[in-house]
Amino acid sequence: MAHIVPSSADTPLTGTEPATSSAASASALTPAFSPLYQQIKGLILQSLQSGEWKPSESIPSEMDLAARYRVSQGTVRKAIDELAADNLLVRRQGKGTFVATHAAQHMPYRFLKLMPDQGNTTSEGPAQRDIIDCKRLRASADIARALALRTGDAVLQVRRVLSFKSNGVFVPTILEDLWLPGGPFKGLTAERLSTYQGAMYALFETEFGVHMVRAEEKIRAVHPDASQASLLKVGPSAPLLSVERIAYTYNDVPMELRRGLYNTHSHHYHNELS
């Protein structure tokens, strides 16, 4: 079967580069047989990764992007549709398209799927966050493997408890241990984590330039050890959900390993499948 090659009138260009240079650049991003909108998606993703458009900022209009890459608006629209479906961009009716951010009020815990049995996360209110520990250490083999580092590389380890209000009282609900690569998060301290009022991932965006775009999780049922039971104020035989999450920035670069224990006495894990 012959491959369909885009005509020169609909070949993406970046700025004032000659067509041959742009075609070579696009080919480096995706195979030659990739649909044109996928090449445009790759170019837009490059701009997101480089920080040309930062979280919460608007990107150029479809018309401007079509002119920039010398393709049709329909091609740009399809590329943006996929990036929006991937939660990298957000369309706002009548306002334009914006880079997704963890600082948005409607998604303070984008990757957290624990929901209250009664009401919703809005009625429940924000969690009370207690930083138990924050220290720099050398990555063990399993931490290094998860974060694509070398064993012994510097990492930041944070332990915290999230408590949610129930009948007017904050109840410890989530115990989290997380590890971050030392380089990108140089300067992050327990004091900064404690005083920041927004979501942790929003702090990573605004102060460290790290935007988490997707995550993978492993979930199993466990009992806590003595230390964990004490922090969550549960018995040693309490059933808990163990959730291990690796969060990635652009181009699937791992930036966080998080291991959480969830008390589901008044909460449940909720996920939408489509």
Side-chain angles (χ1 to χ4, degrees):
M1 181 182 295
H3 298 308
I4 299 175
V5 180
S7 68
S8 59
D10 204 23
T11 299
L13 294 178
T14 54
T16 57
E17 295 177 340
T20 54
S21 173
S22 176
S25 175
S27 296
L29 285 170
T30 54
F33 55 82
S34 178
L36 185 57
Y37 78 89
Q38 288 282 2
Q39 297 180 35
I40 302 304
K41 178 183 177 181
L43 292 172
I44 295 174
L45 188 57
Q46 271 191 339
S47 292
L48 292 171
Q49 182 183 12
S50 69
E52 179 179 351
W53 311 310
K54 294 179 172 54
S56 79
E57 292 182 352
S58 63
I59 69 170
S61 67
E62 291 178 359
M63 182 179 298
D64 289 340
L65 289 174
R68 172 175 176 168
Y69 300 128
R70 298 188 189 180
V71 297
S72 68
Q73 279 185 247
T75 298
V76 170
R77 185 175 301 116
K78 194 166 184 180
I80 290 177
D81 284 344
E82 285 211 351
L83 290 167
D86 293 338
N87 294 310
L88 300 182
L89 297 176
V90 178
R91 292 187 183 274
R92 296 179 187 166
Q93 187 66 34
K95 295 182 178 180
T97 302
F98 296 78
V99 182
T101 174
H102 290 276
Q105 291 185 352
H106 67 281
M107 51 184 296
Y109 302 110
R110 176 176 160 193
F111 296 149
L112 179 60
K113 302 300 183 181
L114 197 67
M115 301 295 171
D117 291 338
Q118 304 296 326
N120 53 44
T121 54
T122 300
S123 61
E124 181 179 53
Q128 175 180 288
R129 296 167 295 183
D130 296 305
I131 304 299
I132 307 301
D133 199 6
C134 180
K135 59 187 177 183
R136 292 189 174 269
L137 42 78
R138 298 295 177 182
S140 62
D142 63 323
I143 301 301
R145 184 166 49 252
L147 294 175
L149 301 173
R150 294 174 298 182
T151 300
D153 280 354
V155 293
L156 181 71
Q157 181 181 0
V158 178
R159 169 170 275 201
R160 70 173 185 171
V161 173
L162 300 181
S163 301
F164 292 92
K165 187 172 288 187
S166 176
N167 297 321
V169 178
F170 279 102
V171 178
T173 306
I174 302 175
L175 169 63
E176 292 183 320
D177 289 290
L178 57 106
W179 293 264
L180 306 165
F185 293 96
K186 185 177 182 180
L188 182 59
T189 64
E191 181 182 9
R192 190 68 192 101
L193 288 168
S194 298
T195 57
Y196 188 78
Q197 297 301 307
M200 182 180 285
Y201 285 167
L203 172 65
F204 294 169
E205 284 180 6
T206 56
E207 298 195 13
F208 298 92
V210 176
H211 182 45
M212 304 299 189
V213 299
R214 75 174 190 88
E216 296 177 350
E217 289 186 338
K218 296 178 181 178
I219 304 174
R220 57 173 54 91
V222 300
H223 292 308
D225 61 27
S227 173
Q228 294 164 345
S230 176
L231 289 169
L232 285 174
K233 298 182 180 178
V234 297
S237 61
L240 302 176
L241 284 183
S242 169
V243 182
E244 180 174 296
R245 177 199 307 163
I246 300 178
Y248 299 83
T249 187
Y250 298 111
N251 285 336
D252 282 342
V253 177
M255 277 291 174
E256 179 199 60
L257 169 63
R258 186 178 300 216
R259 292 171 177 164
L261 289 180
Y262 294 5
N263 182 358
T264 59
H265 175 71
S266 60
H267 289 73
H268 61 274
Y269 192 92
H270 176 83
N271 204 1
E272 294 184 8
L273 305 177
S274 62

